[in-house]
């Protein structure tokens, strides 16, 4: 039997289909978010299944997550992205203790206990600073793409200090620095450090390792290093970092966590309780 | 249908009497009618802003104490024309009511009594004092110091004189005692009502319980309803059933009338707020006044000085209470509400989080918000996630 997770995020929608036995990935897909959110999620789901030569009847349970989770009426249940993220990560890094998730429009820090269960979490969903959106704004200002921001930052001789706590004012600050002929590479690196500092502030000094980095921003070269510098500890980039919450949702749908690689017995019981 | 007689009788009884929930749904109108009547009989209406104000002294002076804390989001915007936007919504809303002349109780008040609690309130009172007759008590804030308490006693003695002079009455010990009797009864009845939530299947929701209070404490008709409430609510079932919900100990700032949104949100997302520790819940009713004390005013002062508000330092009494309440009400998690920019509760949240996680061993969530509903979805996510954690941990512990 197959199980699916659908993560309806603020910027993108992700679908993951896994196999019951080993929690193995069967198919996955991602698309941009739009106006018709529920319909887009459904289209993506059908498309992912179609490409894998599967039909809806092959999937026995679907869990929706992400901020649009309740709009997915055809899902069997909705679980928050905090819980899904935790599970998606634990399946990859069983002893993970801290998750840093930086998405398109929010960022969160989730701490896990020794059993791999959520201990607590802090979210920034009120302000663009410290999120992917901020990096995007800056990339536009520096006339480059989000993907190239990292390569640019690597050339920095001396990362600029960007101290504004708000994305709008930080942008103004960057415009000022550009006018003062600051090297774009220094600005690119400075912005990455600024995002990293915001995240470290959210952790309020209580970081346990291993630290796993998820969310679309984890794909930008240099971000993990900026985080690792700011935290002064190693940061592991999750495999397919954008998909971890969807994967977690699929694993919860499957509810057979004990058999998935690395998951503790506690997590298995946890999943059963959550359902 | 002979077997149904008992039920039928009960239903008939309820039909004649709308019951306490219905009674309190009309509390603002009831209070307004009461205040107008008393004022027409010559009694001064006295506004209060905080649970440190000893209602008994005002009552003993023949006055009617009315809570004026603003809970309306609509009053925030007008207040921001004068006050900084970066201020607690409770302070802004209260002041907005004055600017808009929208609170009939404030408009009919002969005096407003308040105290130096947080800085925002204290300085707002200066502005309010330009618009209404105002008397501010100085609240000493070192909770453990004997001389701080002596100062508080002195402040209450001054208030007694002020009320006597202003309203040309004498506050005799006899009158004070009468007021204390009424308020002790008020507190006892409220404690008993709240105590219903200790049950495994409480007969009402936290939202309903929060609705069972009036802007004027100690009203005879309210006391009648409180004393009938337990019997009236017996056997009542809430939906979704209590067993399916997560039991929440709610703490933090008070939720004034009109600002109950967060509580509703917690219960709409699968929670049941079994205990409300804040000033809109149990905090002010946990301690009574010793009616037989040789110096009643000192006894009165002691009760109020013991109020575990975050403006006091240190405020360990709050943590002790929380620990006891968590046990009595069988809470499964702690949710703390902090009005945005409320520094004292926000900082003290550290200690509450540590208590919940390290000592009570239960998940803790701090909700920082204001009166605007714009963050409903964001808050729902946090609450749902907390409840998933509670259930997940139970799965582990029981499994
Ligand atoms: S929380 Fe403190 S300041 Fe606010 S009403 Fe209660 S006692 Fe007064
Ligand atoms: S909630 Fe905090 S800031 Fe607001 S009035 Fe009460 S103590 Fe002051």
């Amino acid at each position: 039997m197959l199980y699916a997770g659908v993560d309806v995020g603020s910027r993108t929608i992700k679908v993951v289909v896994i196999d019951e036995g080993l929690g193995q990935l069967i198919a996955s897909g991602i698309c941009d978010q739009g106006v018709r959110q529920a319909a887009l999620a459904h289209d993506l789901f059908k498309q992912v299944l179609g490409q894998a030569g599967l039909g809806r009847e092959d999937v026995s349970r679907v869990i929706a997550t992400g901020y649009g989770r309740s709009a997915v009426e055809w899902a069997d249940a909705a679980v928050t992205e905090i819980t899904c993220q935790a599970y998606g990560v634990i399946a990859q890094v069983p002893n993970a203790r801290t998750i840093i998730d930086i998405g398109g429009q929010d960022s969160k820090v989730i701490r896990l206990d020794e059993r791999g269960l959520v201990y607590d979490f802090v979210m920034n969903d009120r302000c663009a600073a410290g999120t992917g959106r901020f990096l995007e704004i800056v990339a536009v200002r520096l006339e480059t793409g989000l993907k190239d921001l990292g390569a640019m930052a690597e050339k920095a001789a001396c990362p600029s200090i960007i101290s504004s706590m708000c994305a709008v004012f930080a942008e103004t600050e960057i415009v000022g620095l550009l006018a003062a002929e600051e090297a774009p590479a220094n600005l690119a690196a400075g912005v990455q450090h600024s995002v990293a500092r915001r995240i470290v502030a959210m952790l309020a000094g209580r970081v346990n390792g291993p630290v796993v980095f998820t969310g679309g921003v984890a794909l930008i070269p240099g971000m993990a290093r900026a985080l690792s510098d700011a935290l002064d500890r190693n940061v592991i980039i999750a495999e397919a970092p954008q998909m971890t919450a969807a994967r977690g949702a699929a694993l919860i749908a499957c509810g057979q966590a004990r058999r998935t690689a690395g998951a503790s017995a506690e997590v298995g019981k946890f999943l059963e309780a959550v359902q | 249908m002979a077997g149904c007689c008992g039920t039928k009788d009960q239903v008939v009884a309820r039909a004649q009497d709308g019951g306490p929930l219905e009674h309190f749904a009309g509390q603002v109108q009831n209070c307004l009618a009461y205040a107008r009547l008393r004022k027409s009989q010559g009694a001064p209406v006295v506004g209060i802003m905080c649970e440190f104000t000893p209602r008994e002294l005002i009552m003993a002076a023949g006055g009617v104490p009315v809570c004026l804390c603003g809970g309306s989001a609509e009053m925030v915007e007008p207040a921001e024309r004068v006050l900084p936007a970066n201020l607690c919504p409770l302070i802004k809303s209260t002041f907005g009511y004055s600017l808009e002349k929208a609170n009939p109780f404030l408009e009919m008040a002969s005096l407003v009594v308040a105290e130096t609690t947080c800085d925002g309130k204290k300085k707002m009172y200066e502005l309010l004092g330009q618009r209404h007759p105002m008397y501010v008590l100085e609240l000493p804030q070192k909770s453990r110091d004997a001389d701080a308490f002596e100062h508080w006693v002195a402040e209450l003695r001054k208030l007694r004189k002020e009320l006597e002079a202003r309203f040309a009455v004498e506050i005799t010990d006899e009158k004070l005692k009468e007021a204390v009797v009424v308020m002790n009864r008020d507190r006892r009845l409220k404690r008993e009502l709240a105590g219903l939530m200790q049950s495994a299947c409480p007969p009402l929701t936290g939202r309903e319980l929060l609705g069972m209070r009036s802007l004027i404490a100690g009203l005879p008709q309210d006391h009648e309803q409180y004393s009938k409430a337990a019997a009236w609510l017996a056997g009542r079932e809430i939906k979704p059933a209590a067993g399916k919900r997560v039991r929440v100990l709610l703490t933090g700032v008070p939720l004034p009338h009109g600002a109950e949104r967060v509580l509703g949100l917690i219960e709409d997302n699968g929670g049941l707020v079994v205990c409300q520790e804040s000033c809109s819940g149990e905090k002010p009713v946990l301690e009574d006044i010793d009616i037989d004390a040789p110096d009643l005013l000192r006894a009165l002062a002691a009760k109020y000085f013991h109020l575990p508000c975050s403006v006091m330092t240190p405020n360990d009494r709050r943590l002790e209470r929380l620990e006891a309440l968590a046990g009595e009400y069988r809470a499964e998690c702690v949710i703390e509400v902090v009005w945005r920019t409320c520094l004292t509760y926000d900082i003290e949240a550290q200690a509450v989080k540590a208590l919940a996680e390290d000592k009570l061993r239960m998940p803790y969530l701090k909700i920082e918000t204001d009166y605007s509903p714009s963050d409903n979805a964001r808050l729902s996510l946090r609450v749902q996630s907390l409840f998933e954690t509670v259930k997940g941990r139970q799965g582990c512990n029981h499994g």
Side-chain angles (χ1 to χ4, degrees), chain B residues 94-382:
Chain B
T94 305
F95 189 65
Y97 268 113
S98 167
L99 289 180
E100 297 291 293
K101 299 192 193 307
N103 183 340
F105 296 100
L106 179 58
E107 296 310 309
M108 68 169 95
S110 310
L111 179 67
V112 177
V113 178
E115 42 291 287
T116 55
T117 49
C118 63
D119 284 356
K121 266 187 168 177
K122 189 170 70 188
K123 298 308 278 185
M124 182 272 275
Y125 294 149
E126 290 176 10
L127 301 181
L128 203 65
Q130 294 168 6
R131 311 173 51 85
H132 310 269
M134 188 90 216
Y135 185 86
V136 179
L137 290 153
E138 187 186 17
L139 174 74
Q141 301 182 345
K142 284 174 81 180
S143 57
R144 282 180 191 155
D145 289 19
D147 55 345
F149 176 65
E150 291 309 322
H151 183 63
W152 178 236
V153 174
E155 283 291 302
L156 294 196
R157 290 199 205 287
K158 277 198 300 196
L159 174 64
R160 183 179 193 158
K161 288 216 180 72
E162 163 73 24
L163 293 170
E164 286 179 332
R166 188 179 281 267
F167 301 132
V169 288
E170 194 195 342
I171 301 181
T172 60
D173 281 352
E174 215 33 58
K175 284 189 201 158
L176 189 55
K177 200 164 187 167
E178 280 169 28
V180 169
V181 169
V182 172
M183 286 308 297
N184 271 356
R185 176 155 197 257
D186 191 76
R187 288 183 278 263
R188 177 176 56 78
L189 289 167
K190 284 178 177 154
R191 279 198 303 272
E192 285 169 7
L193 184 68
L196 296 176
M197 303 301 286
Q198 291 178 2
S199 146
C201 302
L204 72 173
T205 63
R207 179 67 190 82
E208 286 170 333
L209 179 68
L210 182 62
M212 289 177 70
R213 59 176 174 167
S214 289
L215 297 172
I216 303 175
L219 292 183
Q221 65 260 43
D222 286 0
H223 282 188
E224 199 190 316
Q225 294 292 335
Y226 286 139
S227 34
K228 285 197 288 197
W232 197 88
L233 291 165
R236 186 169 180 267
E237 279 170 26
I238 55 169
K239 280 201 180 88
K244 294 209 169 80
R245 306 199 196 189
V246 174
R247 298 174 72 93
V248 179
L249 168 55
L250 188 68
T251 182
V253 296
L255 311 179
H257 175 71
E260 300 90 349
R261 177 178 66 100
V262 184
L263 207 169
L265 207 132
I266 292 169
E267 296 199 324
D268 289 345
N269 281 294
L272 178 62
V273 175
V274 287
C275 180
Q276 302 173 41
E277 183 268 345
S278 76
C279 270
S280 47
E282 298 219 29
K283 192 183 307 234
V285 302
L286 283 172
E287 188 175 326
D288 278 336
I289 294 161
D290 179 7
I291 195 85
D292 300 317
D295 183 342
L296 196 52
L297 192 97
R298 279 186 79 83
L300 182 82
K303 180 255 175 267
Y304 286 95
F305 195 63
H306 290 163
L307 198 72
C309 169
S310 62
V311 299
M312 300 302 257
T313 187
N315 189 27
D316 13 56
R317 205 176 253 117
R318 175 169 174 225
L319 300 179
E320 288 160 20
R321 293 262 174 95
L322 278 170
E323 194 179 343
L325 291 169
E328 288 162 20
Y329 287 85
R330 291 181 274 179
E332 295 170 308
C333 61
V334 177
I335 299 184
E336 175 149 43
V337 183
V338 174
W339 294 133
R340 193 160 290 132
T341 78
C342 172
L343 293 180
T344 54
Y345 275 102
D346 203 358
I347 296 173
E348 204 167 282
Q350 302 262 356
V352 179
K353 179 173 161 74
L355 173 85
E357 291 178 348
D358 304 339
K359 210 160 180 192
L360 305 174
R361 300 254 160 220
M362 52 180 77
Y364 166 92
L365 176 72
K366 181 177 87 181
I367 291 181
E368 215 186 316
T369 186
D370 55 24
Y371 289 180
S372 134
S374 62
D375 58 1
N376 276 352
R378 290 195 293 258
L379 298 187
S380 294
L381 166 68
R382 286 159 170 77

Side-chain angles (χ1 to χ4, degrees), chain A residues 69 78-83 111 113 115 117-121 123 125-126 206 266 269-270 273-274, chain B residues 340 353 357-358 363-365 375 377-378 380-382 384-386 388-389 391-393 395-397 399:
Chain A
R69 63 194 175 285
V79 176
T80 65
E81 48 269 42
I82 312 273
T83 302
R111 292 191 301 153
D113 68 13
R115 298 171 294 183
L117 304 180
V118 174
Y119 183 76
D120 66 359
F121 60 91
M123 277 187 87
D125 48 11
R126 295 185 57 82
R206 293 164 307 175
E266 275 87 358
K269 288 177 201 156
F270 166 57
V274 162
Chain B
R340 193 160 290 132
K353 179 173 161 74
E357 291 178 348
D358 304 339
Y364 166 92
L365 176 72
D375 58 1
R378 290 195 293 258
S380 294
L381 166 68
R382 286 159 170 77
Q384 285 172 16
S385 174
L386 176 80
E388 285 168 5
T389 300
K391 289 187 186 156
R393 289 195 195 172
C396 289
N397 297 337

Side-chain angles (χ1 to χ4, degrees), chain A residues 137-213:
Chain A
I137 294 170
V138 173
V140 170
R141 276 284 163 204
L142 299 180
E143 294 173 10
T144 181
L146 199 48
K147 278 201 276 325
D148 302 321
L149 200 66
M152 192 178 209
E154 268 167 22
K155 297 194 203 94
C158 168
S160 327
I161 308 277
I162 292 151
S163 52
S164 295
M165 293 295 273
C166 154
V168 176
F169 291 117
E171 192 184 359
T172 316
E173 204 178 331
I174 289 161
V175 173
L177 288 166
L178 280 173
E181 295 188 0
E182 175 80 344
N186 287 348
L187 283 170
V191 163
Q192 291 196 338
H193 282 108
S194 148
V195 171
R197 278 200 309 275
R198 292 280 300 211
I199 301 292
V200 172
M202 283 165 73
L203 277 159
R206 293 164 307 175
V207 198
N208 301 317
V211 180
V212 178
F213 187 14

